[in-house]
Amino acid sequence: MGRALQQADALYDLGRYEQAAALAARHLADDPDDAAALVLLARCRHRLGDERQALTAVERALHVAPESVGAWLVHAHVLLALTEHEQAELSARRAVELAPHHWGSHHTLGTVLDRTGRARRVGGGKRMRAAHEAARTAAALAPEESEAHFLVGLTAHHTRRYRVAQEAYETALRLDPDNSQALNNLSLLHLRRSRLRPGSWTRAAEGFVRSAALDVNDRHARHNLERMAWGALVESRWVALAGIVAVSLGSARLRAGATGTDAVATVLVCAAVLVGSWGGWLLWQARRIPPHLRRPLLLVSRRSRPVLGMAFSVVLLVVHPVLALVLWHSALFSGLAILLFVFALVMSVAGHTALQQKAPKP
């Protein structure tokens, strides 16, 4: 391997893909048939998102060295990025044929099958099960590789074998505590159980915050934090409903002619319901969102239109019952509560749709 190519390989490992590609191209100017340099150039272009250039380079490498396992693996990944699922699967299977005892071949095949299975409505389940088997083979061949165990977890996750997925993610994190993808996906499992297991919501938020800190370029953890903040606000609608019902009934009683002690008791009961319901909700949020998680959630929320929109509707649901209790003599003002609650429902649906649309690609 020439000096320029060695430097390019080192730069690739450091994540400096543009510089690595330039050095690989310089090497290829002197030796255009160097398959290793062509594969490295393809890997760089793939990392930079230039899939067509990557495909051109790796197909040149396969023309020069048709038995190159590395070239077939890169070929499969590039084709997968171009959503050429059938061709990507053929390339991955060719790599397995050439190197049946290399964990990377089975890992790539599992990745391709998993992505293909999720993209297909017909036959998708069969491919996803095959993806899990390929991932297990990769993990058996390389039990020390965190990425192999992560793929076992990912394929189990996608086939709803959540216990298997959790064990695999935990194994991946034991081998590599900085595996942000495994941490993010394990947090998703905690979030899924948050209604059944106390503390799971908090563990999920902690995992997403740590995952986002480990990989600043990975948008998945930040998106999941955004969904958690939005979800906490959505849950508060039912707290608001309790206050609205209490104040509506109390205002109607006052307008019906309640006076003296009866009127004072009605106002006090309504105020107690408002303070108790919202106070209890705030106390619950304070307990499940420790101080060290509040700033990350707040930062994510400030930049999220769905969260801000939901927060605005919740603020209206907080302010309105208080004003309705003071201005009880106005039946029209009390009736506004229904419109505000419908507005909150509309904002929750709109927010859910917006979050789905902006979700990062898997």
Side-chain angles (χ1 to χ4, degrees), residues 250-270:
S251 299
R253 184 177 180 83
L254 291 172
R255 287 193 301 275
T259 58
T261 305
D262 192 18
V264 172
T266 299
V267 171
L268 290 176
V269 168
C270 291

Side-chain angles (χ1 to χ4, degrees), residues 45-289:
R45 300 309 336 162
H46 173 56
R47 288 288 188 177
L48 292 167
D50 300 330
E51 306 301 349
R52 289 298 173 186
Q53 292 185 39
L55 185 62
T56 299
V58 75
E59 288 186 343
R60 279 179 59 198
L62 287 171
H63 179 74
V64 173
E67 301 297 302
S68 170
V69 176
W72 282 112
L73 293 176
V74 175
H75 195 239
H77 283 290
V78 172
L79 288 170
L80 188 60
L82 292 168
T83 65
E84 298 287 346
H85 295 113
E86 293 289 347
Q87 294 301 316
E89 183 177 339
L90 291 175
S91 295
R93 291 193 182 281
R94 179 58 178 153
V96 171
E97 289 175 7
L98 291 170
H101 301 297
H102 176 44
W103 77 274
S105 301
H106 296 278
H107 183 273
T108 297
L109 178 60
T111 301
V112 171
L113 289 172
D114 177 67
R115 193 81 60 82
T116 303
R118 284 185 287 141
R120 291 193 164 197
R121 293 184 179 179
V122 179
K126 182 178 180 181
R127 275 185 166 82
M128 291 169 70
R129 289 189 292 272
H132 184 64
E133 292 305 314
R136 289 180 60 190
T137 301
L141 290 170
E144 75 289 351
E145 290 289 343
S146 175
E147 286 302 318
H149 292 282
F150 169 72
L151 186 61
V152 172
L154 184 68
T155 53
H157 200 153
H158 290 155
T159 51
R160 300 185 180 182
R161 286 176 275 188
Y162 300 119
R163 183 173 296 179
V164 174
Q166 179 173 342
E167 292 174 356
Y169 292 146
E170 289 173 346
T171 301
L173 287 168
R174 279 197 298 272
L175 294 168
D176 179 12
D178 293 338
N179 189 325
S180 62
Q181 290 180 307
L183 188 58
N184 177 75
N185 286 16
L186 181 60
S187 299
L188 283 173
L189 291 179
H190 287 317
L191 184 59
R192 182 178 174 274
R193 303 190 190 102
S194 60
R195 295 184 182 277
L196 302 175
R197 297 186 183 180
S200 292
W201 195 96
T202 303
R203 285 196 295 273
E206 288 175 338
F208 292 140
V209 169
R210 188 176 162 217
S211 178
L214 287 170
D215 188 352
V216 297
N217 296 316
D218 187 355
R219 294 173 52 231
H220 289 84
R222 287 171 181 78
H223 180 73
N224 289 329
L225 280 174
E226 187 178 348
R227 289 188 67 91
M228 291 186 79
W230 173 83
L233 290 168
V234 168
E235 290 171 351
S236 70
R237 294 175 306 174
W238 310 114
V239 179
L241 181 62
I244 287 172
V245 170
V247 170
S248 296
L249 292 175
S251 299
R253 184 177 180 83
L254 291 172
R255 287 193 301 275
T259 58
T261 305
D262 192 18
V264 172
T266 299
V267 171
L268 290 176
V269 168
C270 291
V273 171
L274 287 175
V275 173
S277 57
W278 283 111
W281 184 80
L282 289 172
L283 179 62
W284 178 46
Q285 296 302 321
R287 291 185 61 183
R288 73 171 182 169
I289 307 177

Side-chain angles (χ1 to χ4, degrees), residues 305-333:
R305 290 185 178 180
V307 174
L308 292 175
M310 197 66 227
F312 176 68
S313 67
V314 170
V315 168
L316 293 178
L317 291 175
V318 174
V319 172
H320 177 269
V322 176
L323 294 178
L325 189 58
V326 175
L327 305 174
W328 56 266
H329 54 275
S330 174
L332 180 63
F333 192 84

